[in-house]
Amino acid sequence: MPVGLIALALGGFGIGLTEFVIMGLLPQVAADFHVTEATAGWLISGYALAVVVGALGLTAAVTRFERKPVLAVLMVLFIAGNLVSALAPDYSVMMIGRIIAALAHGAFFGIGAVVAASMVAPTKKAGAIAIMFTGLTAANVLGVPFGTMLGQAAGWRSTFWAITVIGVLALAGILALVPRTGSGDSASGSASGGLRGELRAFRSGQVWLSILVTILGYGGMFGAFTYIAFTLTEVTGFSATTVPWLLILFGVGLFIGNTVGGKAADKNVDRTLLVVLAILVVVLVVFALTAGNQPLTIASMVLLGGFGFATVPGLQMRVMKYASSAPTLASGANIGAFNVGNALGAWLGGVTITAGLGYTSPIWAGAGITLLGLAVMAFAAAHAKKHDADLPGTGGSTVPAVAAAETSTDLPVTEAAAVAR
C-alpha cells in the first residue's frame, strides 16, 4: 500500500471528525454561546451547505494547479477553520470557522480520490479510494465518541484544538508522502485545459446519473441515521446513555462496508452498486419493521452502516470513470452530492416526523429514497454497456476504463502503458 494513502486517510479522519463530532457537543456549544439548540444546529447544516459550495466552486478554481500542492493548501484551510472554531468568542465566529473548514472538505475528498486512484495499479483504484475514505469511517468509529468525551471532560474547545493538531499532522504527511500526480491541465489533454476541460466531463449522461444515484442512495441511509437517536430511545427502548455505544456499532459497519465495497467495486462497479443498493433497501425495511426489538435493531445498525457506506468507493470511482480524462471537478461534484443527499434525507425524515408518522418514519422514507436510487442505478447500468464498449482499449471492462482515464493523464506515456498492462 502506498504510504501516501495513509496521509490522505489521516486528512479524511480529521475532516470526518470535524463534520460529525459537533453533533455530540451541541448542548455545550449552545450553552456557551447562549443560543437555542435549533440555532446551534445550524453549525451542522451550514457546514453541509458549505461542503457543496467548496466541492464545486473551490475544486473548479484549482483545476489548473498541481494536485499535491492543492491538497496541502486545502489542509491549511481546514486547519485555519478549526483554529477559528477553537478560539471563537461568539456564535457568528464559530459559524465562520465551520464554513472555512467545510470549504476544504468537498475539494479535499474530490481531488484526493483522483490522487489516491493514481497511486495504484488499475485493478486497485476503488480499493485505494476506499483506504482514503477509511479515515472518514474511522472518525465515526473512534473519533466521534472520544472527541465527544474529550469535549465533555475538558470543554468543547479542546476537541477543536485536537482536530487542529490532527490537521497539522495530515498536512505534514501530505507534503512528505503524497507523490506529484499532475493537474487539471494535464488531465484535460487539450489546449483549453483547466476548468473548460473539466466541465466537458459533465456532457456525459452517465456522470449525471452517477451523481443522482449518490444523492438518492446515500440520502436514504443518512435520512434514517439522522434521527436514529429518537428511534433508539423512543421506539426501541434504549436509554440515552446507550446511544453513543450503539453509534460505535454503526461506525464499525461503516468501516467494514467501506473496505469490502471498495474491493468489490474493483471487480465490477455497476454490479456491486446494484447488489449493495438492493440489500440496503431490504435492511431499511426490516429495520423499520423490527425497530421495537433490541437485538434486531443492533443488527440493523451494523448492516445499515455497512451497506450504506459500501456504495461510496464505487460511486466515486464510477463518476471518475465516466468523467474520463477530466475527473477532478466531477469527483468534487460527487462529494457535494453526498452532502446534498444528507440534506435531502434529513429534510424528508423531518417532514415525516412533523407529520406525526412516528420515529420509524424516517427509516421508511430512507427505504423509499434508496429504492428510487436503485431504479436510477439499474437504468444507468443498462445504458452503460454500449458506452463501455466504445471506450478505446477497454473492451467493455469497468476497471480498465478508469485505468485509461488515470494512467493516460497522470503518468508519462511509457509508464502509463506499463501500468495499463
Side-chain angles (χ1 to χ4, degrees), residues 9 14 29 40 66 112 135 195 250 283 290 307 311 319 330 345 351 360 389 398:
V29 173
E66 187 179 343
L195 180 58
F250 176 81
V283 168
T290 63
F307 287 100
T311 61
V319 166
V351 168
T360 59
T398 302

Side-chain angles (χ1 to χ4, degrees), residues 223-320:
F225 176 68
T226 299
Y227 302 96
I228 198 68
F230 294 101
T231 305
L232 294 174
T233 56
E234 302 299 326
V235 179
T236 315
F238 286 110
S239 66
T241 57
T242 308
V243 172
W245 302 106
L246 294 173
L247 294 182
I248 291 178
L249 294 177
F250 176 81
V252 170
L254 293 182
F255 183 85
I256 296 172
N258 178 61
T259 303
V260 175
K263 292 180 178 179
D266 270 325
K267 297 177 181 178
N268 190 303
V269 175
D270 285 2
R271 183 171 60 201
T272 297
L273 290 173
L274 287 168
V275 170
V276 170
L277 286 170
I279 297 176
L280 181 58
V281 172
V282 174
V283 168
L284 286 164
V285 171
V286 172
F287 188 9
L289 291 172
T290 63
N293 183 293
Q294 292 189 351
L296 291 178
T297 292
I298 291 173
S300 294
M301 288 280 291
V302 177
L303 294 173
L304 177 63
F307 287 100
F309 215 84
T311 61
V312 173
L315 286 168
Q316 198 67 18
M317 192 172 82
R318 195 177 199 277
V319 166
M320 289 163 55

Side-chain angles (χ1 to χ4, degrees), residues 157-252:
R157 296 180 189 274
S158 64
T159 300
F160 285 94
W161 279 112
I163 297 172
T164 302
V165 172
I166 292 171
V168 172
L169 294 175
L171 174 61
I174 289 169
L175 293 174
L177 304 175
V178 173
R180 295 183 179 275
T181 57
S183 65
D185 282 345
S186 64
S188 68
S190 68
S192 59
L195 180 58
R196 187 181 302 176
E198 292 286 337
L199 288 173
R200 278 198 294 270
F202 292 96
R203 295 177 183 176
S204 168
Q206 288 291 337
V207 168
W208 287 107
L209 287 171
S210 300
I211 289 174
L212 183 57
V213 174
T214 296
I215 293 172
L216 297 173
Y218 199 71
M221 185 272 284
F222 202 84
F225 176 68
T226 299
Y227 302 96
I228 198 68
F230 294 101
T231 305
L232 294 174
T233 56
E234 302 299 326
V235 179
T236 315
F238 286 110
S239 66
T241 57
T242 308
V243 172
W245 302 106
L246 294 173
L247 294 182
I248 291 178
L249 294 177
F250 176 81
V252 170

Side-chain angles (χ1 to χ4, degrees), residues 35-188:
V35 297
T36 65
E37 290 188 1
T39 301
W42 278 101
L43 295 171
I44 298 172
S45 303
Y47 184 98
L49 293 174
V51 169
V52 178
V53 173
L56 295 173
L58 199 54
T59 303
V62 299
T63 53
R64 288 186 174 273
F65 302 102
E66 187 179 343
R67 291 172 185 144
K68 177 178 177 176
V70 167
L71 287 174
V73 171
L74 290 172
M75 192 49 58
V76 170
L77 189 65
F78 168 78
I79 294 168
N82 282 285
L83 189 59
V84 170
S85 295
L87 296 170
D90 55 42
Y91 174 84
S92 60
V93 176
M94 177 72 171
M95 178 64 80
I96 292 173
R98 294 284 291 169
I99 291 174
I100 292 173
L103 289 174
H105 179 132
F108 181 87
F109 278 115
I111 297 171
V114 177
V115 173
S118 72
M119 291 186 196
V120 298
T123 56
K124 298 181 179 180
K125 292 184 178 293
I129 294 171
I131 289 174
M132 184 188 71
F133 277 101
T134 296
L136 186 62
T137 60
N140 281 276
V141 177
L142 299 174
V144 171
F146 286 103
T148 301
M149 285 189 282
L150 174 63
Q152 291 174 344
W156 63 266
R157 296 180 189 274
S158 64
T159 300
F160 285 94
W161 279 112
I163 297 172
T164 302
V165 172
I166 292 171
V168 172
L169 294 175
L171 174 61
I174 289 169
L175 293 174
L177 304 175
V178 173
R180 295 183 179 275
T181 57
S183 65
D185 282 345
S186 64
S188 68

